[in-house]
């Protein structure tokens, strides 16, 4: 029978070292990089219009990062097992900074030179893809670093802090972009390109150089590993539901609420802002509760299902906003919990590979969600929210495996 915490005794951190572990540099790096990523998403529409790109081209430029996240999460995780969390996090944040600066320069040049639509599309695709290559390393390295330094019973709390930082980036990135875009579409990119550099600098100065997981050789983890079946499936479903809701909310405001395009865009923007606020609030609450991850997933899934069910019957904007807020509050309990559940299920030598597997499952949800959401939306506008609610109820009702 294995250690109930699934961690060899000699790899557990001492209480003194755990207390000395500083999570703030990791939070800042995640915050700044997420702000930059989301600023691009919020500005791609106007940029595409100026450059003469079709809507589908703008969509692909956004989606390519999800594809790359799905493909590279596991390789980054295995690399963090071999090379160390510190090196991978520095490589991820440093590479992200350089790639985002290059993307900003290309966008600025393209907006002034107005190249052919094909060239502009190729440049955006390459730049966004390169940014995604390095961004994929950051959450993977962060989750593995937390697993190395935080005891299992406190991991959900630490991962909720990481989720709250990402949620802040989700809100602040588009807000700063909207504020600065009044002066120039290029200005937000240059301003937000500086922030990841601050994250990189703080990580380099404050990340522990001692790699606790290197006390034993790293082990690979299969995607079909029975220990990870639940957390990987929950990770995929969670991202699938979020992506379906995000892609359909603007269309829902047009078709079900009968709004004009300008008002529909405003309604969708408010809904997505409330999502960020709810994610921050709920993940701060997770820090206080410190429930077991499986309990957190079940309660969060039921709350999120209730929110999506509310969105189904929305006939006014405020009902849609309420539904999105409640759904996001529930999802805020799920996100740190499936990461903690996966981390607690494996040995110390498998943490990087496991974090990569969780990232791959999330990336698959990001890729499949928009496609699935738009396809079923064409059949009935309420179907994306209905499917999300049903999937989350199934997650909440998934029985716990019997212990031998």
């Amino acid at each position: 029978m294995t250690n109930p915490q699934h961690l060899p005794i000699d790899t557990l951190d001492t209480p003194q070292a755990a207390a000395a572990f500083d999570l703030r540099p990791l939070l800042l790096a995640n915050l700044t990089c997420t702000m930059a990523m989301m600023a691009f998403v919020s500005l791609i529409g106007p940029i595409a219009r100026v450059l003469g790109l079709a809507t589908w081209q703008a969509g692909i430029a956004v989606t390519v990062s999800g594809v790359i996240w799905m493909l590279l999460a596991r390789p980054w995780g295995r690399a963090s097992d071999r090379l160390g969390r510190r090196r991978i996090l520095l490589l991820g944040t440093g590479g992200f900074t350089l790639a985002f600066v290059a993307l900003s320069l290309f966008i600025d040049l393209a907006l002034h030179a107005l190249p052919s639509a094909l060239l502009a599309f190729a440049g955006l695709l390459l730049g966004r893809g390169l940014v995604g290559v390095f961004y994929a390393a950051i959450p993977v390295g962060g989750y593995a670093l937390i697993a190395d330094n935080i005891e299992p019973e406190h991991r959900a709390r630490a991962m909720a802090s990481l989720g709250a930082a990402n949620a802040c980036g989700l809100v602040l990135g588009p807000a700063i972009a909207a504020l600065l875009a009044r002066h120039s579409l290029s200005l937000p990119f240059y301003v937000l390109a500086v922030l990841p550099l601050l994250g990189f600098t703080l990580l380099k100065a404050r990340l522990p150089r001692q790699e606790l997981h290197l006390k034993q050789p790293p082990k690979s983890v299969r995607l079909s590993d029975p220990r990870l079946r639940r957390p990987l499936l929950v990770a995929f479903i969670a991202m699938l539901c979020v992506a379906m809701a995000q892609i359909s909310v603007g269309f829902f405001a047009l078709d079900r609420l009968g709004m004009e395009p300008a008002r529909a865009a405003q309604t969708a923007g408010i809904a997505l802002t409330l999502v960020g606020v709810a994610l921050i609030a709920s993940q701060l609450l997770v820090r206080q509760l410190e429930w077991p991850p499986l309990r957190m997933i079940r309660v969060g899934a039921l709350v999120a299902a209730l929110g999506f069910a509310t969105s189904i019957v929305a006939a006014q904007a405020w009902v849609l906003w309420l539904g999105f807020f409640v759904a996001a509050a529930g999802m805020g309990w799920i996100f740190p919990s499936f990461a903690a559940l996966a981390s607690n299920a494996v040995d110390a030598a498998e943490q990087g590979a496991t974090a990569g597997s969780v990232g791959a499952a999330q990336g698959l949800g990001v890729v499949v969600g928009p496609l699935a959401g738009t396809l079923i939306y064409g059949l009935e506008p309420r179907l994306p929210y209905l499917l999300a609610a049903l999937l989350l109820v199934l997650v909440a009702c998934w029985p716990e495996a019997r212990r031998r």
Side-chain angles (χ1 to χ4, degrees):
M1 192 169 180
T2 60
N3 181 351
Q5 292 181 343
H6 299 283
L7 287 171
I9 299 301
D10 62 351
T11 62
L12 286 174
D13 203 4
T14 63
Q16 292 82 4
F21 177 65
D22 190 357
L23 194 59
R24 289 173 296 181
L26 194 58
L27 299 185
L28 180 64
N30 276 265
L31 169 65
T32 55
C33 292
T34 302
M35 286 172 62
M37 290 287 282
M38 294 309 300
F40 178 89
V41 174
S42 66
L43 293 174
I44 186 61
I47 290 172
R49 187 61 54 86
V50 172
L51 297 178
L53 301 182
T55 303
W56 67 267
Q57 290 175 310
I60 290 178
V62 172
T63 307
V64 67
S65 60
V67 176
I68 290 174
W69 184 14
M70 176 183 66
L71 296 176
L72 294 186
R74 281 171 59 81
W76 276 122
R78 290 193 296 267
S80 78
D81 281 334
R82 295 193 311 270
L83 305 175
R85 320 300 187 206
R86 186 177 191 274
R87 187 176 298 179
I88 293 304
L89 282 168
L90 291 177
L91 181 59
T93 52
F96 179 94
T97 302
L98 294 176
F100 197 81
V101 168
L103 177 62
S104 303
L105 289 171
F106 174 81
I107 290 174
D108 191 16
L109 181 62
L111 289 173
H112 285 88
L114 296 178
S116 66
L118 181 60
L119 180 60
F121 174 59
L124 288 176
L125 199 63
L126 179 61
R128 174 75 172 180
L130 191 59
V131 167
V133 166
F134 292 102
Y135 183 79
I138 299 171
V140 170
Y143 284 139
L145 185 68
I146 287 173
D148 290 345
N149 291 275
I150 304 294
E151 294 181 350
E153 60 268 26
H154 301 304
R155 284 178 189 162
R157 176 179 180 177
M159 290 174 179
S161 300
L162 206 58
N166 285 324
C168 287
L170 181 72
V171 176
L172 293 176
I176 292 175
L179 183 66
L180 298 177
R182 299 175 184 177
H183 306 285
S184 164
L185 286 176
S186 305
L187 182 60
F189 290 95
Y190 287 121
V191 172
L192 290 168
V194 176
L195 298 181
L197 180 60
L198 298 178
F200 168 81
T201 304
L202 191 58
L203 281 176
K204 187 174 182 180
R206 303 293 295 275
L207 270 188
R209 294 181 178 275
Q210 182 186 13
E211 296 284 354
L212 302 178
H213 70 288
L214 294 180
K215 293 183 178 180
Q216 57 180 300
K219 299 178 184 178
S220 61
V221 175
R222 293 178 291 111
L223 283 172
S224 58
D225 192 316
R227 297 172 299 172
L228 300 180
R229 187 174 296 132
R230 185 191 297 265
L232 293 188
L233 191 56
V234 172
F236 169 72
I237 290 174
M239 292 305 299
L240 177 76
C241 294
V242 169
M244 287 195 302
Q246 286 179 331
I247 198 69
S248 61
V249 62
F251 297 110
F252 190 89
L254 285 168
D255 301 330
R256 288 292 300 175
L257 304 185
M259 295 180 174
E260 297 178 352
R263 191 178 171 207
Q266 184 182 35
T267 298
I270 293 174
L272 295 178
T273 301
L274 289 174
V275 165
V277 173
L279 284 173
I280 296 169
S282 63
Q283 291 184 96
L284 291 177
L285 182 59
V286 170
R287 287 178 49 80
Q288 303 303 318
L289 292 175
E290 287 200 282
W291 285 354
L294 188 55
R295 181 183 182 187
M296 200 83 71
I297 287 173
R298 286 180 170 151
V299 175
L302 289 175
V303 172
L306 177 62
F308 284 120
T310 302
S311 302
I312 293 171
V313 300
Q316 294 177 306
W318 71 268
V319 180
L320 182 66
W321 295 336
L322 176 64
F324 266 63
F325 184 87
V326 173
M331 300 305 290
W333 289 27
I334 296 174
F335 280 111
S337 301
F338 64 64
L341 192 66
S343 176
N344 294 350
V346 299
D347 295 331
E350 301 170 305
Q351 291 296 339
T354 298
S357 299
V358 172
Q362 290 179 271
L364 182 61
V366 170
V367 174
V368 175
L371 179 61
T374 50
L375 285 176
I376 64 175
Y377 182 90
L379 302 175
E380 160 61 46
R382 292 169 291 189
L383 274 182
Y385 306 133
L386 177 61
L387 177 60
L390 290 176
L391 287 173
L392 289 166
V393 168
L394 291 176
V395 166
C397 297
W398 189 347
E400 187 173 2
R402 292 183 179 179
R403 297 183 181 272
R404 292 185 179 181

